[in-house]
């Protein structure tokens, strides 16, 4: 593959490009390392008081569309004296060449060495990116252990959902930020700017101390962990008087004040999403007990219909994207979603802009919205997520969907012209039995039967997609035991056989699943403590890279590393994964405050075991999860009664009549 010439772009003084460029013809997809995308920013290095390198620790094709990184990149670069550049995980072929030729981890914007920056911010959506963090730190020439770093090294800062329990990577990061990043990065920037302007008093330690004193930046080195003889944690306490006992999450309350991204990055190489994505609200109060994102992003904060409309218009004009995603954890729950969808659909009718909504809510309203959004004749797929196969397990996980609702909804989709729907479930849920999983097959058969009866056609399909359950910190299931991979795999085999036991119906049902092994390791990393850091390091030293990719993931490598490292601490892989915790156990993340009250979480766990459902506090009285009082706020939902402002049609996106449908 040829590499685009960069001769028209100036090469920064500290750029590694002259050394990197000759290596690129030898690697796969070299274009991912070139930068220069629409939306990319290269600023004057010397004019910047504070310099951030931002990383999504996966390959460019996954990392570039990441909303979190794009938002922070833009927020930071809007400051006149701040510079932010991006870096992604390099594939093993380039890593090998970089090591052989002494090329350090670089940013794609100006190909500057990551070690030259003040802050190296890494956003984790999943814990399986931890080995990629180690590769990047090591390739950058930054000491792997935070304790070995000097004033010449950047502050390695973790963010994203996995930062709500950064203990497994506590040895490798200098700090972690919990929650929303928009305002947090500005506060951190101000602290770094002042410290540098003052001549870096007290060195790195003083800078970290100033960050810790904000009470919203966690600096692991300022906390000691004591263990009980049986391996459980006795306590986590500050080891100096001037840092807080608990670190609190950041929450951006007014999303309308932060309408980012305004200038979305348009990738040069193929990526997993190529669309303008606008987050229509943050937080979720539906209360699905397995869902960490729903719990840690409370309270609900809606972006107004007016701002969404303006963002879509500006984002499309800037990027030229032909697709808009209206994102959130449960988009159909926005209080003005109906007006929003019809307004946007009307606005872009007759253009080649397609609009989509991640569709997980199981009701006919969702199909109405999807119909509205497909006015241009383009139908995006419909995905419904009952998550559990039996009514019983759905009560346990608090997913209030009846089988009748599901069948009625899917049949409505078929009768409205959809030929294919996707149904998403989990396997390995707390209290799950073989029978709960086998109910998925029966449900899928009923869906096809009802669909055929309603449409009179055999040309309808559904895909059953199964993910492995992973208990996550700050959820009611944080105390739950994981199921063993062999049990998961046996249940999935039973399910597959049960789907295919009926030949005619089985042929109309696709079946996709992940086996249980990666979930077990994700479980180790998500609920691990500082001792798990040695396992991550061992796996990385033994070649672990891109653990989120099935072709790179090696279960045996993790099992071997755990067996080598953990016995010295009197614990093992099972202890972290398949063991149920009791109420009084100190959890590794108890000193990190997501706003949720631990007593409420425990009660909700007990309710799960009693199969007792909890309503959504958006529509029913507050049930005291703790978030709103701890942040002195309340959920923010409409309806506001405001309408989408009249927008100017996007120039250049109009297709000739006839090409639209
Ligand atoms: S504190 Fe009450 S209103 Fe706020 S998110 Fe929790 S349950 Fe809902």
């Amino acid at each position: 593959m040829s590499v685009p010439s960069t001769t028209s772009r100036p090469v920064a003084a500290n750029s590694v490009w002259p050394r990197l460029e000759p290596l690129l013809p030898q690697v796969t997809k070299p274009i991912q390392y070139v930068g220069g995308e629409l939306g990319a920013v290269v600023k004057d290095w010397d004019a910047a008081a504070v310099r951030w390198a931002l990383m999504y620790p996966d390959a460019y094709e996954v990392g570039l569309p990441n909303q979190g990184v794009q938002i922070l990149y833009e927020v930071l670069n809007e400051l006149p004296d701040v510079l932010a550049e991006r870096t992604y995980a390099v594939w093993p072929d380039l890593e090998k060449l970089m090591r052989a030729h002494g090329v350090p981890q670089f940013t794609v914007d100006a190909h500057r060495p990551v070690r030259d920056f003040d802050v190296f911010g890494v956003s984790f959506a999943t814990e399986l990116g931890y080995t990629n963090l180690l590769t990047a730190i090591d390739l950058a020439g930054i000491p792997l252990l935070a304790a070995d770093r000097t004033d010449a090294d950047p502050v390695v800062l973790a963010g994203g959902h996995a930062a709500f329990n950064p203990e497994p990577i506590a040895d490798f990061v200098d700090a972690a930020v919990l929650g929303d990043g928009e305002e947090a990065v500005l506060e951190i920037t101000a602290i770094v700017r002042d410290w540098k302007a003052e001549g870096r008093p007290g060195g790195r330690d003083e800078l970290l101390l100033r960050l810790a004193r904000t009470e919203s930046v966690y600096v692991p080195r300022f906390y000691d962990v004591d263990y009980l003889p049986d391996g459980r944690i006795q306590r986590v306490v500050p080891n100096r008087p001037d840092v807080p006992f608990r670190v609190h999450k950041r929450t951006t309350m007014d999303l309308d004040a932060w309408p980012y991204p305004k200038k979305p990055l348009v990738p040069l190489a193929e990526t997993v999403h190529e669309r303008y994505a606008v987050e229509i609200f943050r937080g979720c109060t539906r209360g699905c007990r397995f869902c960490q994102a729903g719990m840690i992003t409370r309270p609900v904060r809606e972006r107004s219909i007016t701002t969404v409309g303006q963002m879509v218009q500006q984002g499309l004009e800037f990027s030229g994207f032909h697709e808009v995603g209206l994102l959130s954890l449960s988009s159909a729950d926005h209080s003005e979603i109906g007006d929003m969808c019809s307004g946007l659909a009307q606005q872009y009718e007759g253009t080649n802009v397609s609009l989509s909504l991640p569709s997980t809510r199981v009701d006919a309203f969702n199909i109405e919205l999807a119909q509205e959004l497909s006015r241009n004749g383009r139908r995006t797929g419909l995905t419904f997520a009952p998550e559990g196969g039996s009514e019983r397990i759905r009560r346990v996980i608090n997913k209030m969907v009846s089988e009748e609702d599901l069948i009625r909804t899917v049949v409505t989709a078929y009768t409205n012209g959809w030929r294919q729907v996707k149904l998403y479930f989990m396997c390995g849920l707390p209290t799950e039995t073989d029978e709960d999983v086998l109910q998925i097959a029966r449900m899928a058969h009923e869906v096809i039967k009802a669909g055929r009866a309603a449409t009179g056609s055999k040309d309808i399909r559904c895909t059953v997609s199964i993910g492995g359950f992973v208990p996550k910190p700050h959820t009611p299931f944080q105390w739950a035991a994981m199921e063993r991979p062999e049990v998961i795999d046996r249940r999935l085999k039973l399910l597959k056989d049960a789907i295919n036991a009926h030949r005619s119906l089985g042929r109309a049902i696709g079946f996709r699943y992940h086996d249980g092994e990666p979930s077990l390791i994700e479980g180790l990393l998500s609920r691990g403590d500082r001792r798990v850091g040695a396992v991550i390091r061992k796996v990385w030293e033994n070649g672990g890279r891109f653990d989120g990719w099935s072709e790179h993931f090696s279960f045996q490598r993790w099992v071997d590393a755990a067996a080598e490292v953990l016995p010295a601490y009197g614990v093992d892989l099972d202890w972290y994964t398949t063991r149920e915790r009791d109420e009084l156990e100190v959890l590794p993340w108890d000193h990190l405050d997501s706003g949720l009250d631990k007593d409420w979480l425990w009660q909700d766990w007990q309710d799960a075991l009693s199969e007792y459902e909890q309503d959504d506090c958006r529509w029913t009285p507050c049930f005291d999860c703790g978030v709103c009082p701890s942040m002195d706020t309340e959920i923010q939902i409409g309806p506001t009664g405001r309408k989408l402002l009249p927008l100017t049609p996007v120039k250049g996106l109009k297709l000739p009549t006839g090409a639209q449908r």
Side-chain angles (χ1 to χ4, degrees), residues 306 308-313 343-344 347-348 644-650:
T306 319
V308 169
Q310 286 166 342
M311 287 177 70
V312 169
Q313 178 176 353
L344 289 171
Q347 189 61 48
Y348 293 103
L644 205 66
L645 288 180
L647 305 174
T648 318
V650 180

Side-chain angles (χ1 to χ4, degrees), residues 545-571:
R545 306 287 189 275
F546 290 92
D547 283 296
W549 295 65
S550 54
E551 60 269 47
H552 291 274
F553 175 78
S554 162
F555 183 60
Q556 200 54 48
R557 187 154 45 207
W558 283 94
V559 170
D560 292 347
E564 198 178 330
V565 166
L566 296 177
Y569 302 114
V571 292

Side-chain angles (χ1 to χ4, degrees), residues 306-450:
T306 319
T307 306
V308 169
Q310 286 166 342
M311 287 177 70
V312 169
Q313 178 176 353
Q314 284 166 8
L316 291 182
E317 277 180 352
F318 177 82
S319 66
F321 281 133
H322 291 164
E323 193 184 330
V324 177
L326 302 173
L327 307 187
S328 74
L329 291 170
S330 176
S331 292
D333 284 338
H334 190 291
S335 61
E336 289 169 313
I337 191 69
D339 279 353
M340 192 184 295
C341 288
S342 57
L344 289 171
Q346 197 177 354
Q347 189 61 48
Y348 293 103
E349 191 166 13
T351 73
N352 62 353
V353 171
S354 66
L355 303 156
S356 68
L357 202 64
S359 42
T360 57
R361 198 169 115 168
V362 184
D363 62 27
F365 178 58
N366 214 344
I367 295 173
E368 261 175 52
L369 296 175
Q371 286 271 70
E372 189 69 77
L373 294 180
S374 61
R375 279 201 212 177
N376 274 357
R378 292 207 202 166
R379 290 227 152 136
T380 47
L382 277 178
T383 302
F384 300 106
E387 314 277 4
S390 67
E391 298 271 348
R392 189 198 74 78
I393 201 79
R394 288 198 295 276
R395 282 197 298 276
V396 171
I397 62 178
N398 206 40
K399 191 83 190 187
M400 291 167 277
V401 176
S402 70
E403 183 162 328
E404 297 79 65
D405 282 346
L406 178 81
I407 290 173
R408 200 179 316 118
T409 305
V410 177
V411 167
T412 309
Y414 289 142
T415 51
N416 279 285
W418 271 269
R419 290 280 154 262
Q420 161 99 30
V421 297
K422 192 165 157 190
L423 303 178
Y424 183 80
F425 298 89
M426 277 187 290
C427 186
L429 290 161
T431 78
E432 179 182 280
T433 63
D434 290 359
E435 187 50 34
D436 291 317
V437 176
L438 286 171
Q439 293 279 330
I440 296 172
R442 198 189 47 72
M443 191 190 267
H445 287 162
E446 292 302 321
V447 159
I448 297 296
K449 266 195 250 171

Side-chain angles (χ1 to χ4, degrees), residues 284-285 298-300 595-596 600 614-618 620-630 633-635:
C284 182
T285 43
R298 289 177 182 198
V300 171
L596 294 156
W600 177 80
Q614 176 74 69
D615 285 335
D616 185 336
C617 64
R618 246 174 303 202
T620 59
C622 166
F623 46 76
D624 289 331
C625 78
V627 167
C628 295
S630 76
T633 185
E634 54 190 28
I635 55 174

